[in-house]
Amino acid sequence: MPENSFTFETLNEWRKGTMVQHLGIEFTEIGGDYLCGKMPVDHRTHQPMGLLHGGASVALAETLASIGAAMQVDLNKKACVGLEINANHIRSVRSGWVFARAQAIHIGRSTQVWETRITSEDGSLVCISRMTVAVIDKK
């Protein structure tokens, strides 16, 4: 892993003024090849029927996978950009929090693949997502 210094302070700076902050996403654990976070299920993340919006789940998954991918490269030379993401919505949630863990499946020179599992407060699987990230040279 590159010698990047990823701390909760760094990640919280990145979220300021972004959709990540607006949705209430918080980072909870940082590992070498994984990143964990949580998101409230409330008016910011509901769809009209009062359930967790699938797009909010995908935003949580993409946030963790993208930042997890960035943790693997020298950000002075490289950038990580989403190439493809998919999600299967398994169970609905009406309130509380959902918890997510993005885990690297493949870390290559030009692509990375990350899987994110989102669970409810009782540990039930809510959503599973896979994201492919392109690693590109900074201009």
Side-chain angles (χ1 to χ4, degrees):
M1 185 167 96
E3 302 205 12
N4 294 326
S5 175
F6 289 92
T7 64
F8 287 110
E9 293 77 26
T10 302
L11 298 182
N12 285 322
E13 274 300 308
W14 283 2
R15 55 187 292 271
K16 286 183 181 175
T18 70
M19 184 172 69
V20 178
Q21 183 179 32
H22 177 72
L23 293 177
I25 295 171
E26 299 176 21
F27 304 103
T28 59
E29 189 176 345
I30 302 169
D33 65 349
Y34 70 92
L35 182 61
C36 299
K38 65 181 185 175
M39 182 177 68
V41 181
D42 62 17
H43 68 280
R44 295 170 289 181
T45 58
H46 277 160
Q47 43 97 309
M49 299 301 293
L51 301 172
L52 176 63
H53 194 294
S57 294
V58 174
L60 174 59
E62 183 156 353
T63 296
L64 296 179
S66 294
I67 293 173
M71 292 167 44
Q72 309 304 314
V73 303
D74 180 346
L75 292 175
N76 294 313
K77 298 177 183 175
K78 301 286 184 180
C80 294
V81 296
L83 197 56
E84 187 273 340
I85 189 166
N86 69 55
N88 295 103
H89 306 291
I90 310 297
R91 179 171 280 108
S92 63
V93 179
R94 287 192 177 276
S95 62
W97 291 85
V98 288
F99 302 88
R101 178 185 173 101
Q103 176 75 51
I105 296 172
H106 166 73
I107 300 173
R109 288 189 312 258
S110 61
T111 62
Q112 297 183 33
V113 178
W114 286 73
E115 179 182 86
T116 303
R117 298 176 69 84
I118 301 173
T119 58
S120 63
E121 289 178 331
D122 70 4
S124 298
L125 184 62
V126 172
C127 177
I128 188 163
S129 173
R130 188 175 56 241
M131 181 172 174
T132 303
V133 178
V135 179
I136 60 173
D137 292 327
K138 279 193 171 176
K139 294 181 180 182

